[in-house]
Amino acid sequence: MRMPSRPRQCVLSALLLSLLLFLSSLWLPQGSIQSCEQSWGPCLNVYTPTRQVAPADVPEELGGNDIIGECAGQQFQVSRLLLHLNSALGPASDVLLDPYLLCWEELIKFMEALGPLVGFFTHKVEEKITLIRQLSLEESARLNAIPDERVAPPPPHAYRSVRSMLEAELQRGVVSFDRETPSGSRTLLRLHRSLLWLQLLLEKLGTEREGRSMGDLCRDAYLEVLAPHHPWLVQRAAELVFRTMPDRSAFLQLVCVRTQEEAEPVMRVVVAAIREIHRRTQKELEISNMLDLP
């Protein structure tokens, strides 16, 4: 006897959810802190905004304050994302880690607003944010444990910026080029790849006016950037997620505009800021030969 249509749909939905629950541990693969390795449950909401960062001096073309404002009634704020992006632009083409992680907290809200299946995977990004901050706290404790500061002043904090973290972890030998290690450098590399994925998605959403859906654009960016680093099962799960994404009107609402024409200048500013952060991080990872860490 064939199962009635509605019960069959419920069973299929339950099977799909179970598959996503299993595959979530593989999404954007990355070593994480012990509690997250033991159970994914407590890691679903581990991130909390820590503090606001004062905006840095940035080029006028990256400002965007004249076209981007607060959007009432929603968690994601494109103006707040731009503030953190600009604040992350450190001196000498470096990237400051605190505002960089705050950028990711805002991007998590963006992904979660695209639907429960899209937001479901963001907990892996949250784990990475938590890991880098935990390593930063451990570094602070290590520096504070220096017995006699009169002999030699403690070195600058390693996790202040991308450059200082990469250099310090290389010197301390905590980065392995042969096996997976829970280092800040390896964790940053995974975030770096994901940032390019979102950069390409936002760029497509800001330039392609009609035709393909948001799921199609997200799939294109994923196949170009992240799919080569994911196992087959994760790629299939991602395909299911792209099919559930809302239409492009939901994106317009997220960036607080009414039409695609209004969205274009907003996306140009945001994508330019993300591109500059990605360019600087890419350069530091190249200098340290860390673009292919396992």
Side-chain angles (χ1 to χ4, degrees):
M1 178 181 298
R2 293 188 59 186
M3 186 180 297
S5 177
R6 183 174 297 275
R8 184 168 62 252
Q9 292 177 357
C10 293
V11 171
L12 291 175
S13 299
L15 289 174
L16 174 60
L17 180 58
S18 298
L19 175 63
L20 292 176
L21 286 169
F22 171 74
L23 294 177
S24 66
S25 62
L26 302 175
W27 183 258
L28 300 179
Q30 168 66 37
S32 57
I33 57 178
Q34 184 177 7
S35 60
C36 293
E37 289 290 345
Q38 293 172 343
S39 173
W40 58 266
C43 302
L44 287 174
N45 293 294
V46 293
Y47 84 95
T48 53
T50 52
R51 56 184 177 281
Q52 296 295 320
V53 179
D57 294 331
V58 297
E60 182 177 352
E61 61 269 21
L62 297 183
N65 294 329
D66 55 336
I67 62 172
I68 300 177
E70 290 289 320
C71 192
Q74 64 183 39
Q75 289 293 317
F76 170 72
Q77 296 291 338
V78 67
S79 59
R80 194 179 304 133
L81 171 62
L82 187 62
L83 167 66
H84 298 324
L85 287 167
N86 290 338
S87 299
L89 299 175
S93 296
D94 203 354
V95 176
L96 303 179
L97 273 177
D98 277 352
Y100 176 83
L101 297 179
L102 289 173
C103 292
W104 270 110
E105 289 179 348
E106 204 63 32
L107 287 169
I108 285 173
K109 298 174 187 176
F110 172 78
M111 289 186 285
E112 289 178 337
L114 296 179
L117 291 183
V118 180
F120 181 83
F121 292 116
T122 60
H123 76 276
K124 298 305 293 184
V125 177
E126 294 169 5
E127 288 181 15
K128 294 169 177 59
I129 295 173
T130 299
L131 177 59
I132 291 178
R133 285 182 172 149
Q134 177 178 307
L135 293 172
S136 177
L137 291 174
E138 292 174 357
E139 172 71 6
S140 297
R142 188 180 69 85
L143 295 179
N144 292 333
I146 294 178
D148 191 355
E149 294 186 1
R150 295 171 298 178
V151 176
H157 196 295
Y159 290 83
R160 179 180 181 272
S161 71
V162 166
R163 183 180 302 154
S164 60
M165 180 181 69
L166 299 183
E167 292 176 349
E169 290 196 338
L170 274 177
Q171 293 173 1
R172 291 169 50 200
V174 299
V175 179
S176 174
F177 292 86
D178 302 315
R179 58 184 178 84
E180 296 182 4
T181 56
S183 65
S185 301
R186 181 179 182 272
T187 305
L188 176 72
L189 175 60
R190 271 58 186 177
L191 290 175
H192 178 65
R193 292 170 180 168
S194 301
L195 187 63
L196 180 58
W197 168 51
L198 288 171
Q199 175 192 318
L200 294 179
L201 172 60
L202 294 175
E203 188 172 1
K204 292 175 184 296
L205 287 169
T207 56
E208 298 195 19
R209 294 195 171 187
E210 296 180 2
R212 294 187 300 161
S213 67
M214 186 157 60
D216 291 336
L217 300 180
C218 192
R219 180 187 298 106
D220 288 352
Y222 173 81
L223 292 175
E224 183 175 346
V225 177
L226 291 178
H229 305 285
H230 287 170
W232 182 85
L233 282 176
V234 173
Q235 294 181 34
R236 299 287 72 75
E239 179 64 31
L240 294 174
V241 169
F242 300 146
R243 295 178 183 178
T244 68
M245 294 186 73
D247 58 37
R248 294 177 68 163
S249 62
F251 165 72
L252 297 179
Q253 181 178 350
L254 274 178
V255 296
C256 213
V257 298
R258 293 169 296 180
T259 65
Q260 180 67 28
E261 289 75 14
E262 292 177 355
E264 289 176 6
V266 175
M267 286 300 97
R268 277 199 299 269
V269 173
V270 173
V271 169
I274 293 177
R275 184 183 294 115
E276 178 62 15
I277 294 295
H278 187 272
R279 183 192 69 81
R280 294 184 178 199
T281 307
Q282 177 83 6
K283 182 179 179 181
E284 296 301 324
L285 289 167
E286 286 179 351
I287 292 173
S288 302
N289 295 317
M290 291 186 181
L291 286 174
D292 296 311
L293 290 178

